[in-house]
Amino acid sequence: METENVIGVDFGRREIAKTSHKQGWDGYNLQQKRDKYSRRRPSLPKKASQGTRSTRRRCRQILKRLSGREKRFQNWVNHNISSVIIEQAKQTRSLIAMENLTGIRESTNQQPRNKQEKRRSNNWAFHQLRLFVEYKAIKEGVEVVAIPAAYTSKTCHKCKHLGVRSNKNFKCSNPECGWKGDADFNGAQVIKLWGCTVNQPRGSW
Ligand SMILES: [Zn+2]
């Protein structure tokens, strides 16, 4: 496929995924569902070790079933997200630019955060989501490039200077630019810029 455009995809910060086309998958509703699964867990292992023999067996069965449901739910969400991204790439004849996998963990763990948020960012199956995108891309003839993750969340997509990121917001530190806006959107744009450079090894300078 002849590609002229690039879709940048930013994984795993405030949103599960955000594209440079301003499409995002908010983790909030999904997270509530996942929290529900994990909240029900702590009391069960206790019962599973203290109850009568049949209680113990039942608790083990419930625990097993919960983790199965949670996994299926995650599979389903990741399949949906990756399908939409691939479909968009096909329709716009774009290649997809994504961050290196190692970068996801580093960047989501960068700042000290509360336990719940840490569990969330580490738990979501970004690895799986990335694999789904790559797998479907091969199947559909869409090109994927990996982008070094080091500065994507700290770089301003307008002027390429460093900026400050706090949660959902990004602010460029360059006084002549001063771009402010959605941090995930900025991240996806920076990934897209990198993708464009990779995509045009001859033309750009
Ligand atoms: Zn700027």
Side-chain angles (χ1 to χ4, degrees):
M1 197 197 307
E2 279 283 310
T3 52
E4 293 140 23
N5 309 308
V6 176
I7 298 178
V9 184
D10 192 16
F11 287 132
R13 294 195 175 96
R14 288 294 280 212
E15 291 171 84
I16 292 173
K18 182 92 178 178
T19 74
S20 52
H21 288 197
K22 282 195 170 171
Q23 190 156 25
W25 288 267
D26 198 322
Y28 183 74
N29 286 328
L30 301 170
Q31 202 54 58
Q32 281 188 320
K33 200 158 185 172
R34 284 174 54 84
D35 283 348
K36 202 180 79 194
Y37 293 139
S38 58
R39 256 203 310 277
R40 278 165 69 179
R41 261 193 226 128
S43 63
L44 282 170
K46 210 174 159 192
K47 275 187 200 153
S49 63
Q50 289 170 356
T52 62
R53 189 178 239 213
S54 64
T55 314
R56 293 203 303 266
R57 196 172 51 229
R58 270 216 50 179
C59 286
R60 278 199 302 272
Q61 281 167 352
I62 292 170
L63 278 170
K64 221 173 168 182
R65 201 182 65 219
L66 276 177
S67 71
R69 262 171 67 189
E70 194 176 347
K71 251 181 221 138
R72 281 196 297 278
F73 170 68
Q74 201 165 48
N75 281 359
W76 179 77
V77 172
N78 281 345
H79 263 301
N80 280 315
I81 295 176
S82 54
S83 293
V84 173
I85 293 172
I86 295 293
E87 196 48 45
Q88 214 174 61
K90 275 173 72 184
Q91 276 172 13
T92 56
R93 303 168 71 82
S94 304
L95 71 78
I96 294 169
M98 304 190 288
E99 272 185 337
N100 278 339
L101 192 60
T102 47
I104 294 166
R105 180 150 293 187
E106 279 160 25
S107 54
T108 49
N109 281 341
Q110 232 163 35
Q111 285 135 4
R113 296 190 295 187
N114 64 41
K115 242 188 200 165
Q116 193 183 35
E117 220 178 314
K118 243 183 203 158
R119 178 174 58 71
R120 284 174 177 179
S121 57
N122 287 336
N123 262 8
W124 188 260
F126 296 112
H127 181 68
Q128 184 193 52
L129 178 54
R130 200 193 144 96
L131 282 179
F132 283 1
V133 172
E134 282 176 358
Y135 169 75
K136 286 176 190 180
I138 292 168
K139 229 172 85 183
E140 302 289 336
V142 172
E143 208 180 327
V144 176
V145 292
I147 304 303
Y151 292 107
T152 51
S153 67
K154 294 176 206 149
T155 308
C156 170
H157 75 278
K158 282 271 178 202
C159 68
K160 301 178 190 75
H161 276 75
L162 289 180
V164 180
R165 187 198 160 102
S166 63
N167 288 327
K168 191 82 185 130
N169 300 306
F170 177 91
K171 192 178 182 307
C172 179
S173 305
N174 175 10
E176 281 173 37
C177 167
W179 187 85
K180 276 191 287 194
D182 184 281
D184 289 329
F185 172 72
N186 181 64
Q189 291 294 329
V190 174
I191 293 169
K192 179 186 168 175
L193 284 177
W194 272 90
C196 292
T197 330
V198 175
N199 195 27
Q200 288 149 9
R202 307 164 307 258
S204 69
W205 35 271

